[in-house]
Amino acid sequence: MEQFITIILRTIFFYVLILIIFRLMGKREIGELSILDLVVFIMIGELAIVAIDNPKQSVTLTSVAMILLMIIQILMAKISLKSKRFRDLIDGKPTIIINRGKIDEDAMRKQRYNFDDLLTQLREKDIRSIADVEFAILESSGSLSVIEKMNNPNGEPKEGDITIPLIIDGAVEEENLQRINKTNFWLRQELKKLGYRDIRQISFCSYENGKFFVDILDEE
């Protein structure tokens, strides 16, 4: 009976503790969890299970380990906010699987992503045919973002475009520049025409349908 009560009390305690830890770690949807988030969540869950299942396991030591994991996750999240390179290392980069209606098989191979995966995720988004897709982007979370082809008023297909980030956190995205067949020099010259001379002061700059969107770092 005493062991039964102990298990109940430990279950309630760790339930509350995990709720507090996850709340402090920030709000993230399940589909948006990074590899780091998943590792931390799994480890915290395993620690709680072991402590509940084994009454001899120290509640204090288990709680300390769980709190330490929370601190590690928060510190990593702060580093990731400041470092694009670190974000790419931990979370990976989005991959364009379908670009302007054409499937990029090489990108699929690099992501170990097959046609069954593609068709399944398209069906989940109520897309009946690949021919209806202008862009399909495999996000770092594993979800697929789809942009369907647009039509002119006469019903004929019309080319669309997606937002191409060219600068993130003051750093130029050289890979995206190559994707649109532009150079670093071109980007700097175009931004100078718009009055932006210091790229390090730009938190985000994108290029879509021939137009720039620029957001200055910490601008109110």
Side-chain angles (χ1 to χ4, degrees):
M1 186 65 181
E2 182 180 345
Q3 185 176 0
F4 183 71
I5 294 173
T6 300
I7 290 175
I8 291 175
L9 292 175
R10 282 178 174 238
T11 302
I12 294 172
F13 172 78
F14 283 113
Y15 174 77
V16 173
L17 180 60
I18 290 174
L19 283 179
I20 293 171
I21 288 174
F22 283 5
R23 182 67 185 86
L24 292 173
M25 284 167 58
K27 298 178 180 178
R28 298 286 293 275
E29 292 183 13
I30 296 299
E32 296 177 351
L33 295 179
S34 67
I35 294 175
L36 180 62
D37 293 327
L38 286 173
V39 170
V40 171
F41 287 1
I42 291 170
M43 290 183 70
I44 287 176
E46 287 295 323
L47 285 170
I49 290 170
V50 170
I52 291 171
D53 192 51
N54 183 9
K56 294 182 180 179
Q57 180 79 18
S58 170
V59 172
T60 303
L61 291 178
T62 302
S63 300
V64 168
M66 291 168 69
I67 292 170
L68 179 60
L69 284 170
M70 177 194 72
I71 293 171
I72 291 172
Q73 196 275 344
I74 291 174
L75 288 175
M76 292 294 187
K78 287 183 180 295
I79 294 172
S80 126
L81 282 174
K82 297 181 178 180
S83 172
K84 175 69 166 57
R85 184 174 296 179
F86 183 79
R87 280 200 305 274
D88 291 341
L89 178 65
I90 297 297
D91 296 335
K93 294 182 178 181
T95 302
I96 298 179
I97 301 297
I98 300 177
N99 189 358
R100 298 188 184 281
K102 297 186 180 297
I103 298 173
D104 189 335
E105 289 88 356
D106 185 54
M108 291 178 67
R109 283 192 290 269
K110 287 179 180 178
Q111 296 299 319
R112 295 182 292 279
Y113 187 80
N114 58 51
F115 280 98
D116 288 333
D117 296 328
L118 176 60
L119 292 172
T120 297
Q121 290 192 288
L122 287 176
R123 285 194 297 270
E124 288 174 351
K125 295 186 176 295
D126 297 324
I127 305 295
R128 297 183 180 183
S129 171
I130 292 179
D132 297 331
V133 178
E134 183 80 1
F135 294 97
I137 304 163
L138 185 64
E139 306 291 356
S140 54
S141 64
S143 62
L144 189 71
S145 298
V146 179
I147 299 174
E148 295 184 71
K149 290 181 178 178
M150 299 179 290
N151 290 322
N152 286 310
N154 58 10
E156 295 178 357
K158 179 177 69 172
E159 278 199 355
D161 212 337
I162 57 173
T163 298
I164 308 280
L166 300 182
I167 299 173
I168 298 178
D169 295 333
V172 176
E173 297 289 297
E174 298 288 350
E175 186 177 324
N176 288 340
L177 276 173
Q178 293 175 9
R179 186 175 294 159
I180 60 174
N181 297 317
K182 302 295 183 181
T183 64
N184 193 303
F185 177 76
W186 169 85
L187 175 62
R188 292 175 185 274
Q189 290 299 110
E190 291 298 313
L191 289 175
K192 281 182 181 179
K193 293 176 185 177
L194 297 173
Y196 303 104
R197 297 186 173 275
D198 189 355
I199 284 180
R200 292 171 299 179
Q201 295 300 314
I202 297 176
S203 62
F204 183 83
C205 169
S206 64
Y207 187 70
E208 182 179 358
N209 294 324
K211 295 181 180 180
F212 286 95
F213 170 83
V214 180
D215 183 75
I216 299 299
L217 185 65
D218 296 328
E219 184 179 53
E220 296 182 357

